[in-house]
Structure formats: C-alpha cells, structure tokens
Amino acid sequence: MTNPADRNTTLAVPHPGPLNPRGITITCAACNAARDWLLIHVHPDLVFVRCRCTHEWLEHDLEPADVNEARDDAFEEREWASFEEMYRGLGFDGLLAGTIWH
C-alpha cells in the first residue's frame, strides 16, 4: 500500500521510539508510556496513536506523512479481517501492557 489516502484503507505501523511532534514528547494518558506506539492512519487524514495498554486517541499533532515516515525497509504490509485481529497480531491488544521493548 503506497499511500492510504489513495483509497479507503487504514495503515497501522508499529513505532518503537518516542514521538516528539512540535518538540513535546507524547505520553499515554492511561499508563504514562512514552514510547512503543501503534500509529494508525485512517482515510483520509486522521492519525490515531494506540498504546500497548490499549488506550487509543486521535493525535492532532501527527500527520499521515508521519505514519509513512515510520515505515522502514522491514515493514511488511498485511491485511487484517478486523481491527481486533490487527491489534492482537501486532501486540497492541493489552496482553503486553507494561512490557518494555528494547
């Protein structure tokens, strides 16, 4: 998927590092995590951030380009039957809440 805005798609990209749009580090309001996010670009220009604790919010300081930038050479596109299946498959279903990835 080259650009989710080209069609009715959703792009979800794991982002292990911190997010610092506008120079301010984003933290989860539910658990205070400061890194290890799932960035979700929903057509046409909405970007949501999901934490491992399952807290999810619309992040107005991120743009679709930020989600595309988070993709790397190892990024593997997949289609999921549902959001729940996607969250479970990527480890953002709450099972790994509080886990710190290195």
Side-chain angles (χ1 to χ4, degrees), residues 52-68:
R52 294 249 182 224
C53 77
T54 72
H55 182 63
E56 184 175 309
W57 65 95
L58 177 62
E59 182 54 64
H60 297 286
D61 288 337
L62 293 176
E63 299 178 1
D66 297 314
V67 179
N68 276 325

Side-chain angles (χ1 to χ4, degrees), residues 36-102:
D36 198 20
W37 310 111
L38 184 62
L39 304 180
I40 306 165
H41 173 199
V42 180
H43 178 75
D45 60 359
L46 301 175
V47 176
F48 291 83
V49 175
R50 185 173 178 99
C51 181
R52 294 249 182 224
C53 77
T54 72
H55 182 63
E56 184 175 309
W57 65 95
L58 177 62
E59 182 54 64
H60 297 286
D61 288 337
L62 293 176
E63 299 178 1
D66 297 314
V67 179
N68 276 325
E69 236 177 73
R71 298 162 75 178
D72 60 15
D73 293 334
F75 182 76
E76 179 183 334
E77 287 189 18
R78 274 195 73 181
E79 290 188 25
W80 305 91
S82 67
F83 276 93
E84 290 76 23
E85 183 182 306
M86 177 186 70
Y87 295 146
R88 190 172 41 256
L90 295 174
F92 284 86
D93 60 344
L95 181 65
L96 300 174
T99 302
I100 298 175
W101 299 92
H102 296 282

